Amino acid sequence: MQFQNSLAFAQKMDAEDKLHKYRNEFHFPQIKGKDVIYFTGNSLGLQPKTTQGYIDEVLNAWKKLAVEGHFHANKPWWDYHERLAAPLAKIVGANAEEVSVMNTLSVNLHLLMVSFYGPTNTRYKILCEEKAFPSDQYMLQSQVRFHGLDPRETIVEVKKREGEHHWRTEDVLAIIDEIGDELALVLIGGVNYYNGQVFDMKTITIAGKSVGAHVGWDLAHAVGNVELELHNWDVDFAAWCSYKYMNSGPGNASGVFINKKYLGQDDIPRFEGWWGTKKETRFLMNPNFEPMDNADAWQISNPPILSLAPYLASLNLFEEVGMQALINKREKIVAYLEYILKEIDKEVDGSFEIITPKDRGCQLSVFLHGQGRSLFDYLMNNGVISDWREPNVIRLAPAPFYCSYEDMYRFGQILKDGILTKRA
Ligand SMILES: *Cc1c(COP(=O)(O)O)cnc(C)c1O
């Protein structure tokens, strides 16, 4: 498609966009009395207008029924979480039984490593990407130390090549091959938070498993953003948070995927609690743990219903729209943003550079030459919420659920004015 850097063209794109109306389903913050251009759906998604109703429903049931709400609320609490599994399974490409919602992301990855990282004398290494999200680095280091090992000899990082901004799949595969029998676990962020790169999860999963390692994915930036086929790729486990592209609210509950082949086992290493035991016998309160035969076996506590409610609100919107429609719009709107950036870059004579590779989801990371933080502040003052990462990168994620083509055009104009003003 031949894009144009004009308001009329952007508005025409919006008029033809079937998802455009969903913009009205979200609350937008305002700056100087106007809805912002929101580029940080990769950090905290906007609040759906239906969210409040889902939370109120729980509060009202608690108010009117108190403990009886566990079994007699309109959506009873004791199995409330089960409503989330099927829609989530569609989003991550899994069977509903392979998906559960519990805790928060870093906690869940720790719990999953209890099951999937059991180092031996000969097989103990973990492969991850260089400069992984800090929480992932801390998780891996502390897991390794917990097993009495030295992170420096245990964690192997795949590096980017000198002068390049992305990881190459061939380099990941070469290291997997090299570590071979010593590799216990591959755990990588499926979409990198910094440069927006989508890893070739299928190929890397196959490679990791072929040398006998477990393969897990941190899908914080992938879920609700890119196509996932966790079951078909034969991924062992994965976890994600729900507050980024999933729009479920700050710090909200995490989802997990556990491959079907590990379900229904009672001898798998796992930290257990009463919500993982068979629900039919749970309230007999007997001392024997009998695991649920789905991923809920990893649930420890009874889940926080006030967190599940906004997650369910958001999942119902995803159900209505469908991942494929979101992916289709995402590809188009990100391509349009890229086009706008390149046009503006020409007009202002090479002030910045896109460092996100072609394998990308919703996010474009832009390296600013010369002008840093002050330009970012200019954007914010002029109604653009984006995200700043040291040393000189702004991250722009036009979430297809609620961003418009007009937003992209207007952003380009603000960016240009900002660069020219700062330069003057
Ligand atoms: C956002 C993010 C997290 C956040 O973890 P929490 O436990 O939800 O605080 C972890 N890992 C990655 C890769 C992320 O992008």
Side-chain angles (χ1 to χ4, degrees), residues 160 192-196 355 363 365 389-393 395:
K160 298 174 200 155
N192 183 256
Y193 81 98
Y194 186 79
N195 71 353
I355 61 168
Q363 174 183 327
S365 300
R389 293 288 129 162
E390 297 295 334
N392 243 20
V393 167
R395 301 187 304 167

Side-chain angles (χ1 to χ4, degrees), residues 235-410:
V235 168
D236 289 309
F237 70 95
W240 53 91
C241 53
S242 61
Y243 47 80
K244 294 175 178 169
Y245 294 107
M246 297 296 302
N247 312 320
S248 90
N252 205 5
S254 157
V256 297
F257 164 87
I258 295 146
N259 194 297
K260 192 173 158 76
K261 67 182 137 205
Y262 304 108
L263 303 180
Q265 296 182 14
D266 44 21
D267 56 352
I268 192 164
R270 176 171 55 209
F271 287 166
E272 295 171 342
W274 73 321
W275 231 255
T277 195
K278 285 228 156 82
K279 62 180 182 182
E280 294 79 13
T281 50
R282 182 178 302 149
F283 299 103
L284 300 179
M285 306 303 210
N286 68 41
N288 301 327
F289 182 88
E290 292 178 276
M292 293 281 297
D293 50 18
N294 57 19
D296 291 345
W298 273 259
Q299 287 205 337
I300 296 178
S301 297
N302 78 101
I305 306 301
L306 285 166
S307 294
L308 299 187
Y311 201 171
L312 185 58
S314 147
L315 284 171
N316 283 341
L317 272 180
F318 274 85
E319 272 287 278
E320 189 179 316
V321 174
M323 221 30 237
Q324 195 52 53
L326 286 164
I327 288 170
N328 294 346
K329 175 169 175 187
R330 184 206 78 211
E331 283 171 354
K332 233 186 204 170
I333 198 167
V334 174
Y336 189 53
L337 175 60
E338 179 183 34
Y339 162 84
I340 295 277
L341 283 167
K342 287 183 174 160
E343 288 298 300
I344 301 300
D345 195 44
K346 273 188 240 161
E347 290 180 35
V348 298
D349 218 0
S351 250
F352 53 83
E353 176 185 357
I354 299 173
I355 61 168
T356 302
K358 279 203 300 295
D359 298 324
R360 67 191 182 194
C362 194
Q363 174 183 327
L364 293 180
S365 300
V366 181
F367 192 93
L368 303 172
H369 294 296
Q371 351 204 353
R373 186 92 215 180
S374 66
L375 177 59
F376 170 78
D377 293 338
Y378 178 92
L379 293 177
M380 181 68 98
N381 288 331
N382 286 278
V384 177
I385 302 191
S386 60
D387 167 291
W388 173 256
R389 293 288 129 162
E390 297 295 334
N392 243 20
V393 167
I394 50 173
R395 301 187 304 167
L396 306 168
F401 235 132
Y402 46 73
C403 289
S404 68
Y405 294 92
E406 183 173 333
D407 285 342
M408 303 306 110
Y409 168 76
R410 290 195 186 281

Side-chain angles (χ1 to χ4, degrees), residues 111-139:
L111 292 175
L112 289 166
M113 279 190 270
V114 168
S115 298
F116 295 102
Y117 179 59
T120 66
N121 284 340
T122 53
R123 189 185 284 281
Y124 57 95
K125 288 190 177 167
I126 300 179
L127 182 71
C128 66
E129 74 280 35
E130 172 187 35
K131 297 206 178 113
F133 190 84
S135 195
D136 298 59
Q137 297 187 49
Y138 308 148
M139 281 180 242

Side-chain angles (χ1 to χ4, degrees), residues 74-107:
N74 186 21
K75 298 186 184 78
W77 304 329
W78 82 296
D79 61 359
Y80 195 104
H81 60 278
E82 292 179 3
R83 294 177 170 77
L84 286 77
L88 257 180
K90 278 196 216 161
I91 292 169
V92 300
N95 300 326
E97 62 187 320
E98 296 173 308
V99 171
S100 189
V101 172
M102 57 197 208
N103 313 309
T104 44
L105 173 56
S106 303
V107 172

Side-chain angles (χ1 to χ4, degrees), residues 59-85:
L59 288 175
N60 284 330
W62 177 25
K63 184 157 76 183
K64 297 200 175 110
L65 303 171
V67 72
E68 291 291 289
H70 280 298
F71 294 102
H72 300 296
N74 186 21
K75 298 186 184 78
W77 304 329
W78 82 296
D79 61 359
Y80 195 104
H81 60 278
E82 292 179 3
R83 294 177 170 77
L84 286 77

